[in-house]
């Protein structure tokens, strides 16, 4: 989970408090030590006319230590928010307002990524919290412009995205999630 | 399976023989008594901006006995044809060339419908043959015009499509397949 | 969601406080108004030697108003608990220690049931909270004995479980979830 | 597809002719050039008490050229045979009569592997034919004894089965299928 953009704010209003499911940073910190949080992970892809995946979109970010890392679109599901609306909100947050995502018709995720604060229980790790993330492959057809703290969005072939080089640039298990996504769409050789 | 349009011909050239996977009617009749055939079933849907299914498209056809029946898009997978290309071909065959289907990125069908020549083994039945059909929900975004032997294409809400009235107008288990599709997209109440 | 047994306590020790993810009732009440909670729903089934579902297990419970209702196995995922361990814990809680459940190998649920405190947004409703529930079909092979506040466990055929009579005895959308589960296993006619 | 054991015979009686869907070798050769055939691929696994995959079973075979190759359980679906019965039959054929397989309750495969006679269209290749294979992960709990032309059955960890060394010992894309299976069960790092 690399949504460092989320804390502070991931909403349009620039704050995390308010009447509809927003927590103060203090409350959220407290809850994070006591409950698993619900997340979504979106793997943005380009598809050809037959629906076959031809490219995977990965965000390029600078880590707090100054390293470059690649990341998926990810973020929390809010109180009283549908999973598909959370997907749309986070894709717009990260890829801009004209990415034109096609959220799948089925709520069935291709996998559930369990990010534990303790490494090694699953391939996924999040030092801040226990997050249970519903993961979807989401074709986007519009113009994608990285927002907020992302430096760039790179479109890679499935083979490139699964290569050791790119995998080494992903953290907290998101590399494994990209490979699981490519397996799901039949593009993991 | 109501693809009566397929025999005789379902291809653009108007015949089923030739070098690339077409069989003569005699050969096909012989094979049908000996092997399961591979089919695809497509459930055409309209989705809203969040990907939620708002309507299901059903073809209206006249049966050989003159009854009106409703049907899905269905047909055979040909030799050396990808499953996703078979989906595109049959959707174009039944809904016309500008239906603009979005074939899913994943080859994983929502179910496998096993149509047996003997009724009662599964919910699916095909008196002509043993067909194993990969079933997909396919959003279509363009203008759909029923082709060939279909009289009309009706867009129904998920609730209408699953109602007893509409179910009674479907044959060979395709009503069950519509309900399974709506269950898959979270629209079966 | 009818896990009235969970509040107060759903653990073996009879309390919800402690060092590993348990909340006080007050804290939980507060969190419930601010965050979606992660749940699991298990549809217990009997399968034959070929894996085909032959029966569905539904718990019989008395509602606070004295009505009889039928329910699935359901409950919260705790902090630092794997989804599959939550499934095992809740199945043992409701069906007893020798039910011998076979939790699926894949973390992919057959659907995600979104229980909103507001009715009508999805087929699922929970007046107490916003719960996002990962739903799995779980074959059980052992001896099932209803525990705690369940009066009985009844094994119904898929057809019976999907019938209008039984559906009317289920609340908060769990009837729809049973039908979606039967659709997933090819047993919704 | 490495079911070289299938031609000649893959049935218990040692012949491919007869009244229920068996073809003569000549007929089958003819059909193979004209139609896609329906296959199943089973990835045999050992699971722990929580359903988590701990080992993958791969058959060791000698190729016609004398090389050692590793293979999955695979084979054709016969006329009037259910997919789940084909899975059971091929598992018994390859792993013996007391493997005690647990065929999944849902007919939804984790993927559809399209084996083309032409390499490069998909990751899967079968020089003999166009086979469309429904792929399932099947936990087996009994004693597995390789049958017929398999020399051994080796249980590997998911990591070992996905390693470059083992992948190099698999042919026709079955290595990719093992990796896709491990992705599906959350065990592809």
């Amino acid at each position: 989970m690399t949504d460092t953009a989320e804390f502070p704010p991931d909403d349009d209003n620039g704050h995390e408090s308010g009447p509809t499911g927003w927590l103060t940073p203090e409350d959220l910190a407290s809850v994070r030590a006591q409950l698993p949080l619900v997340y979504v992970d979106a793997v943005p892809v380009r598809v050809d006319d037959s629906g076959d995946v031809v490219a995977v979109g990965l965000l390029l970010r600078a880590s707090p230590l100054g390293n470059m890392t690649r990341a998926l679109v990810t973020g929390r599901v809010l109180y009283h928010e549908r999973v598909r609306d959370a997907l749309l909100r986070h894709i717009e947050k990260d890829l801009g307002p004209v990415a034109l995502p096609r959220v799948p018709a089925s709520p069935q995720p291709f996998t559930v990524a369990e990010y534990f604060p303790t490494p090694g229980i699953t391939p996924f790790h999040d030092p801040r919290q226990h997050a249970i993330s519903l993961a979807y492959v989401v074709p986007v057809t519009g113009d994608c412009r990285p927002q907020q703290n992302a430096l760039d969005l790179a479109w890679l072939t499935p083979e490139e995205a699964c290569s050791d080089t790119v995998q080494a640039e992903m953290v907290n298990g998101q590399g494994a999630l990209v490979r699981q996504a490519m397996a799901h769409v039949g593009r993991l050789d």
Side-chain angles (χ1 to χ4, degrees), chain A residues 70 158-170 175 179 188:
Chain A
R70 294 181 190 274
E159 292 72 25
E160 289 168 346
C162 296
S163 70
D164 290 344
T165 310
V166 171
Q167 292 279 311
E169 296 167 346
M170 304 190 77
R179 283 150 54 95
L188 182 76

Side-chain angles (χ1 to χ4, degrees), chain A residues 29 58 64 96 169 181 185:
Chain A
L58 295 178
E169 296 167 346
V185 298

Side-chain angles (χ1 to χ4, degrees), chain A residues 86-117:
Chain A
L87 277 170
L88 287 172
R89 181 171 57 86
H90 288 293
I91 290 169
E92 179 168 341
K93 177 195 72 183
D94 282 343
L95 304 185
V98 291
L100 303 181
R102 298 175 179 173
V103 172
S106 172
Q108 185 182 41
F110 72 86
T111 199
V112 174
E114 304 180 68
Y115 293 84
F116 281 93

Side-chain angles (χ1 to χ4, degrees), chain A residues 3 8 18 20 29 43 53-55 91 107 110 112 119 125 128 130 137 145 149-150 156 158 164 177:
Chain A
D3 59 337
T20 56
V43 182
V53 171
V54 295
I91 290 169
F110 72 86
V112 174
H125 174 230
R128 301 171 305 169
H130 177 197
V137 173
R145 298 176 202 144
N149 68 336
L156 307 176
D164 290 344
L177 198 58

Side-chain angles (χ1 to χ4, degrees), chain A residues 119-168:
Chain A
I121 298 174
T122 70
F124 309 106
H125 174 230
D126 187 338
R128 301 171 305 169
Q129 61 194 359
H130 177 197
I132 298 178
S133 185
L134 310 176
Y136 299 88
V137 173
V138 182
V140 294
T141 59
D143 190 18
C144 296
R145 298 176 202 144
Q147 308 284 307
Q148 301 197 58
N149 68 336
L151 305 176
D152 194 13
L153 174 76
W155 290 102
L156 307 176
T157 66
E159 292 72 25
E160 289 168 346
C162 296
S163 70
D164 290 344
T165 310
V166 171
Q167 292 279 311

